[in-house]
Amino acid sequence: MLILPFVSIVQEKVRSLSQFAVDLNFHIEEYAGDRGAMPPLERRGEKRSIFIATIEKAHSLINSLIETQRLSEMGLIVIDELHLLGDKSHRATALEALICKVKLVDSTIKFIGMSATLGKMDILEKFLNASIYASDFRPVKLEEFIKIDNMILRYENGHLTPVKELNYEPASQRGGDPDNICNLVRDVIPDHSCLIFCPTKKHCENVAQLLAKSLPTDLEEVHKEGKKILLERLITEVGSTCVIMQHAILYGVAYHHSGLAAEERRLLEEAYLEGILCVLICTSTLAAGVNLPARRVILRAPYIGGDFISLSTYKQMVGRAGRAGLQNSIGESYLIVQKEDKDKFSNENQLQRTKSERQGIPKDACTKPNCSIGIATTEERVESALQQTMFAILQGRIVTKEQTQNTLDYLKSNNYVYENPEQGASLHLSPFGEAVVEGHMDVSQAKDIYEEVQQNLRILNVQTHLHLLFLLTPRDNQEIVVVPEIYLKEYVTLSPADRQVAEAIGASEKFVFDVLMGREPQNSAVVRFYQTLIPYALCRKESIPSVAARFQLQLGTVQSLLSTATTYGSSLGKFCQAIESLWAYQDLLPRCVSMLASCADVELPPLLKLPSVRKARARQLFNAGYKTLDDIATSTPTRLRHNVKYLSSKEASQIIAEAKMRSALINGLDGI
């Protein structure tokens, strides 16, 4: 099993390994979003499988293998970005729990953990009982600089050394570029590539607009035909792209963030790797994402959102400079620091000074209780299991009886586990605890989720999909804000059945008018109901571009909501399957999730199972006569390119390899 941090990286890895799977005769199974059977299908024969999974899905997969006593089928677990164990997040808890469970149940299974930015390796060495292989070797030299005002300082081993003072033309003559970003870019393009990391999505777009206004017009002639084809493909495959992007691409510049459609990001990445684009302006997520190296990396500010950048994130970003395989003898990075942050980089550098705090394992990490099936059935075994956690390592491998009891009291009082006096006070998961494990729920949220679905069961309206979609819509989405005028317009067009749903869940007409009048509603259901109207429109076969335009959202924001709702819906469905009183959801939710996952014409879902194929490409394939996976699997790259416009040889080979791999899984060539 290969564990990766993001759905997008899982999908990229599935794509990149598909041809290997066909040539070397092994299975690849994707575990991300709603994909992946729990437990995995049992297969006969010598053909092996690689499960490529996000952290959350990997945890669920391990739970299912333990429950079915099949964990011994696992031979090796590879964890990329192992430093995520130090996050104060649910995924860090899930990753630690996964490792602990495997160690407790089958110590013969091997782990390989990888990271370019690990700190406190002595803790990880003890936790994993591991051997450490570490090196600071880089095949391409990286030179790191920090820019404060017009002074460039070399950053090396935590020390700052003045190098030179910039003498560029005044900012007023360059259309308002006080940080000299344009000239820092112009030094290397178009002969070499440049990545610019910005704190927010809006910053990315602003910098793209700045460069498009400031760069010399002769850059328009570089790869002119390739840029023309790229713009045509964006319109054909995505449906639309913003004016800023269209103008920036003419200069070999583009921005890249989660607000873009997945197809849009893929096309921009390909164009960048081919040299058609020489500047990509992106947010921090790209640092841990796809492999897009550069000669020069520029960090627009030492912030991610509103938080000061950590050493780990900084290293991830600047590590993109000067990757092996590029025709560069060096890589360079420039961090732009404003006057108000100057003190943080004087004397003892901020990144170096906070290294132990920012890069290691925080003291309060990994202390959340975590349920599982049949691993620790007595208080003594619970205490023994807790000794395997990083929490215990940080305490010198000492977990007191009081701490063990506190953990058990929490689980008992919240109805996750119970004692059976008839079996020597052994511990068992309650039905609710089993549901939490099956649905891979965060224990801190599980009770609220249960109360919500139980309450809605009494008023469930199945005349329309809207009520079920409301339950699948994420509860804490901060990215999509209510636009009162749009809300009112959407609300008044709802059918009588939809209005009944709105009234039942607390998003009544009165509250909608409160939003319109600028009065903040006390009922959070109003905001969530507004967000639910977006996937509801998609489920009624409206296109993502049209829905995004109607709600004044970026394509990627709509796709992200759809993906999150699908993932959460899959989790909620498994949660409800384990609780008898929620029987009404047990058939309804999987159907709703399936509809949500496709959100396409009824004939397209089989094609959408391919990692490289999105809705627009699926429609192209279907219209070209490729209606099934077998149609694609039996084709050739030359024939596929001839029938499908703007398909490269690499893409055609990739899609065919994925179709062959998927057909083998579905048709069970090895027997199931």
Side-chain angles (χ1 to χ4, degrees), residues 60 90 370-371 416 435-447 449-450 568 571-576:
S60 295
H90 177 53
N370 197 287
C371 296
Y416 293 113
V436 172
V437 173
E438 291 295 325
H440 192 63
M441 296 287 184
D442 188 328
V443 294
S444 63
Q445 300 176 352
K447 290 192 74 173
I449 292 171
Y450 174 73
Y568 175 65
S571 176
L572 185 63
K574 291 181 173 64
F575 177 82
C576 293

Side-chain angles (χ1 to χ4, degrees), residues 622-656:
F622 189 86
N623 290 341
Y626 298 97
K627 296 178 168 49
T628 68
L629 294 179
D630 286 340
D631 290 339
I632 298 173
T634 55
S635 185
T636 65
T638 302
R639 198 184 317 146
L640 204 62
R641 287 189 67 201
H642 176 75
N643 294 327
V644 180
K645 193 176 182 182
Y646 300 129
L647 195 64
S648 68
S649 297
K650 180 181 177 181
E651 288 176 305
S653 299
Q654 180 75 57
I655 290 172
I656 290 171

Side-chain angles (χ1 to χ4, degrees), residues 33-35 465 468-469 472 539 562-563 565-574 585 587-599:
D34 67 322
R35 295 188 177 183
H465 289 107
L468 289 169
L469 288 173
L472 304 189
C539 287
L562 193 60
S563 175
T566 302
T567 302
Y568 175 65
S570 177
S571 176
L572 185 63
K574 291 181 173 64
Y585 291 118
D587 284 329
L588 293 172
L589 283 178
R591 290 170 180 264
C592 194
V593 169
S594 178
M595 175 185 67
L596 200 60
S598 61
C599 276

